Amino acid sequence: MTTSDELELISANKSFGGWLKRYKHHSQVLGCDMVFAIFLPPAAEEHDVPLLWWLSGLTCTDENFTQKAGAQRVAAELGLAFVCPDTSPRGTDLPGEHDSYDFGSGAGFYLNAEQAPWNKHYRMYDYVTEELPALVREHFPLNGREAISGHSMGGHGALVCALKNPGRYTSVSAFAPIANPTQCPWGEKAFGGYLGDDRESWKQWDARELIAAGARVDEIKVDQGDADNFYQDGQLRPEALETACQDTGIPLTLRMCPGYDHSYFFIASFIDDHLRYHAHHLRSG
Amino acid sequence: MTTSDELELISANKSFGGWLKRYKHHSQVLGCDMVFAIFLPPAAEEHDVPLLWWLSGLTCTDENFTQKAGAQRVAAELGLAFVCPDTSPRGTDLPGEHDSYDFGSGAGFYLNAEQAPWNKHYRMYDYVTEELPALVREHFPLNGREAISGHSMGGHGALVCALKNPGRYTSVSAFAPIANPTQCPWGEKAFGGYLGDDRESWKQWDARELIAAGARVDEIKVDQGDADNFYQDGQLRPEALETACQDTGIPLTLRMCPGYDHSYFFIASFIDDHLRYHAHHLRSG
């Protein structure tokens, strides 16, 4: 076990002239060892660079985005670092933790759990907004400017992190986010388990509800495939986000992508747009 | 089980405006059901397109390249289809077939085996040069022009397929190919098992030896990472290919890529160059 200010290098791969590195560290917040990935563009060898947080979806680890999204090419070109956290605590082996793909391991939902036994470890919100940012700022050549994006459960996480921390991120975007988790089966299961029966307490972890309660960001960019089965099944509800943004005047660019599904093939097809969008705001915002 | 002229669609994902599709079919040559992937660029909806064969390395299936190489973006731009076969027969369960990563399943080496029991199924050369090409030409909008590339064991396969079939492919390239398998541990194990003890018979499946025996192609493009542990361990031997090309006047562009390893992060970093190289030859060759 490592202490929280120690990073153990797991692997380093040269990628588009930069370096993709995976590290293990001990998380005090989560009470377990965690792995994350960071991509450092070639520019990071010359000067400090801005950082994009990428939050992944259900069942993912830090590896899905780095292997499948094709993001390194444009991140290298733009001089943009990115960090991919894991999607839940690991190795805690709580009762039932590994029984389903949409609750427990691989399904932390980027919230702070309130119900036992989850509240001891499942504090992914504090991990991705406080502990891990402090750690990467200490160890890597970052200039302090940060943006955030994610996919599905991670799109929910990106929206919630940005809405709960106004001014913290220069920009926020999402691919097929769970935009209104208090009103979909995935969210009902996860929030019920992690937060308990009081549905009022769920609203602080729901992008649509946060906006309705007064949270604001300058703008939001969302891509959604119209052939996404989880969209069709009502798990994602981008329309609820759209209505909330319209009601409150938050500029939302919601692009429906015809024929695209929920997979990383969808993300890869549009990641360039998101990286350029964030790079623009990171430079000028 | 399907007959050889039937294709069973396993999945279809929209990707960069084109379609990535996986199919199952019964291979008469291999005596088993096989899966392959094909990417059809947007242009294939308008007219027949040229085709790049991609042969993958040890342990891979049809999925590694499609998920990790980031090839669809430029293939879509160039109007280039590509097909990824699997790397061995599947489901035959021969004795010892699944015992090691570098022999048997996932390790067909793109040759026709001569030794029992392998010779009944392990005929990947005939599969990737005859049966599967006939099948895809019958079912997809292809214009008959074909190029070939691959990685590691698949780089060996691409070189051997091109050298044994002059004029068949407009161009050939490889990433970190096993360029001289008769002289490296991987090749000695595989060729000994599939072909038997007669080392003379091995030479027909070795790019360096084929060139020494008179086989010719117009030119060869190879990328090799200098931090590739398999290169450092003598498994790949690009220098043997280089010497053979120098001795016989075959133009070889061997690019040593500083800091790059054997992974798909290396392939992704340079796949654009290879796709543009092949597209140029497919148009003009």
Side-chain angles (χ1 to χ4, degrees):
Chain A
M1 197 158 84
T2 56
T3 63
S4 77
D5 57 353
E6 282 180 10
L7 292 181
E8 177 190 339
L9 183 66
I10 295 173
S11 64
N13 299 94
K14 196 165 185 182
S15 178
F16 289 94
W19 286 93
L20 180 67
K21 299 185 176 185
R22 301 181 71 214
Y23 290 95
K24 185 175 179 178
H25 74 110
H26 183 72
S27 166
Q28 302 281 358
V29 165
L30 303 177
C32 62
D33 284 357
M34 292 291 285
V35 172
F36 69 90
I38 184 167
F39 176 70
L40 293 166
E45 296 182 10
E46 308 292 328
H47 56 77
D48 291 349
V49 295
L51 174 63
L52 175 70
W53 289 92
W54 175 267
L55 304 184
S56 288
L58 290 167
T59 77
C60 289
T61 68
D62 65 291
E63 295 197 288
N64 301 67
F65 184 74
T66 64
Q67 294 185 351
K68 296 183 177 180
Q72 287 91 308
R73 182 182 61 88
V74 172
E77 173 198 324
L78 297 170
L80 182 62
F82 60 78
V83 167
C84 304
D86 204 346
T87 55
S88 76
R90 300 287 178 178
T92 50
D93 291 331
L94 301 173
E97 189 176 13
H98 312 307
D99 290 353
S100 54
Y101 81 99
D102 54 1
F103 187 80
S105 53
F109 271 84
Y110 306 102
L111 52 72
N112 293 332
E114 294 169 8
Q115 294 292 302
W118 309 102
N119 54 352
K120 189 176 170 195
H121 297 288
Y122 278 69
R123 304 184 61 80
M124 287 297 290
Y125 175 74
D126 284 352
Y127 177 68
V128 301
T129 61
E130 293 180 18
E131 187 184 32
L132 190 56
L135 190 69
V136 298
R137 285 179 208 134
E138 181 187 341
H139 285 88
F140 301 102
L142 303 170
N143 70 6
R145 298 183 65 79
E146 300 181 13
I148 194 163
S149 186
H151 172 232
S152 195
M153 177 182 75
H156 143 75
L159 293 170
V160 165
C161 289
L163 287 162
K164 288 169 84 79
N165 295 278
R168 160 75 185 277
Y169 306 97
T170 60
S171 41
V172 56
S173 77
F175 292 80
I178 305 174
N180 188 196
T182 61
Q183 302 296 325
C184 77
W186 276 340
E188 289 178 333
K189 177 177 179 178
F191 288 13
Y194 294 134
L195 304 173
D197 292 335
D198 176 13
R199 286 182 169 249
E200 273 303 303
S201 75
W202 296 7
K203 293 184 177 177
Q204 62 180 311
W205 306 108
D206 179 302
R208 187 237 173 242
E209 294 295 344
L210 284 166
I211 292 170
R216 296 290 178 269
V217 290
D218 291 342
E219 55 182 276
I220 299 173
K221 174 181 175 69
V222 170
D223 278 342
Q224 174 63 58
D226 73 2
D228 178 337
N229 57 318
F230 299 113
Y231 166 62
Q232 294 165 349
D233 291 349
Q235 295 279 24
L236 306 177
R237 296 176 56 81
E239 294 83 0
L241 178 67
E242 189 170 40
T243 301
C245 288
Q246 285 169 349
D247 290 348
T248 57
I250 297 176
L252 167 69
T253 304
L254 171 59
R255 173 169 56 175
M256 298 304 294
C257 305
Y260 287 89
D261 58 30
H262 201 66
S263 72
Y264 263 88
F265 297 116
F266 160 59
I267 298 172
S269 297
F270 298 101
I271 192 66
D272 288 14
D273 291 350
H274 288 245
L275 294 173
R276 294 183 194 285
Y277 172 82
H278 290 296
H280 171 75
H281 286 279
L282 285 161
R283 277 193 299 264
S284 64
Chain B
M1 197 157 83
T2 56
T3 62
S4 77
D5 58 353
E6 280 180 8
L7 292 180
E8 178 190 339
L9 183 66
I10 296 173
S11 63
N13 298 94
K14 196 166 184 181
S15 178
F16 288 95
W19 286 93
L20 179 68
K21 299 185 177 185
R22 301 182 70 215
Y23 290 94
K24 185 174 179 178
H25 74 109
H26 183 72
S27 165
Q28 302 281 359
V29 165
L30 303 177
C32 62
D33 284 357
M34 293 291 286
V35 172
F36 69 90
I38 184 167
F39 176 70
L40 293 166
E45 296 183 11
E46 307 293 327
H47 56 76
D48 290 350
V49 295
L51 173 64
L52 175 70
W53 289 92
W54 174 267
L55 304 184
S56 287
L58 289 166
T59 76
C60 290
T61 68
D62 65 290
E63 295 195 289
N64 301 68
F65 184 75
T66 63
Q67 294 185 351
K68 296 183 176 180
Q72 287 91 307
R73 183 182 61 86
V74 173
E77 173 198 325
L78 297 170
L80 183 62
F82 60 79
V83 168
C84 303
D86 204 345
T87 55
S88 75
R90 299 287 178 177
T92 49
D93 291 331
L94 301 172
E97 189 176 14
H98 311 308
D99 290 354
S100 54
Y101 81 98
D102 54 1
F103 187 80
S105 53
F109 271 86
Y110 306 102
L111 52 71
N112 294 331
E114 293 168 11
Q115 294 291 303
W118 310 103
N119 55 352
K120 189 176 168 195
H121 296 290
Y122 276 69
R123 304 184 59 81
M124 287 297 290
Y125 176 73
D126 284 351
Y127 177 67
V128 301
T129 62
E130 293 181 18
E131 187 184 31
L132 190 55
L135 191 69
V136 299
R137 284 180 209 133
E138 181 187 341
H139 285 87
F140 301 102
L142 304 170
N143 70 8
R145 297 183 66 78
E146 300 182 11
I148 192 163
S149 186
H151 172 232
S152 195
M153 176 182 75
H156 143 75
L159 293 170
V160 166
C161 289
L163 287 163
K164 289 169 85 78
N165 295 278
R168 161 74 185 277
Y169 306 98
T170 61
S171 42
V172 56
S173 77
F175 292 81
I178 306 174
N180 188 195
T182 61
Q183 303 295 325
C184 78
W186 275 339
E188 289 177 337
K189 178 176 178 178
F191 288 12
Y194 294 134
L195 303 173
D197 293 335
D198 177 12
R199 285 181 170 249
E200 273 303 304
S201 75
W202 296 7
K203 293 184 177 178
Q204 64 180 311
W205 306 108
D206 179 301
R208 187 241 172 238
E209 294 294 342
L210 285 166
I211 293 170
R216 296 290 179 269
V217 289
D218 291 342
E219 57 182 276
I220 299 172
K221 174 181 176 67
V222 171
D223 279 343
Q224 174 63 58
D226 73 2
D228 178 336
N229 58 318
F230 299 114
Y231 166 63
Q232 294 165 349
D233 290 349
Q235 295 278 23
L236 306 176
R237 296 176 55 82
E239 295 83 0
L241 178 68
E242 190 170 39
T243 302
C245 287
Q246 284 169 349
D247 290 348
T248 56
I250 296 176
L252 167 70
T253 304
L254 171 60
R255 174 168 56 175
M256 297 304 293
C257 304
Y260 287 88
D261 58 29
H262 200 67
S263 71
Y264 263 89
F265 297 116
F266 160 58
I267 298 172
S269 296
F270 298 101
I271 191 67
D272 288 14
D273 291 350
H274 287 245
L275 295 173
R276 293 184 196 284
Y277 172 81
H278 290 295
H280 171 75
H281 286 280
L282 286 161
R283 278 193 299 264
S284 63

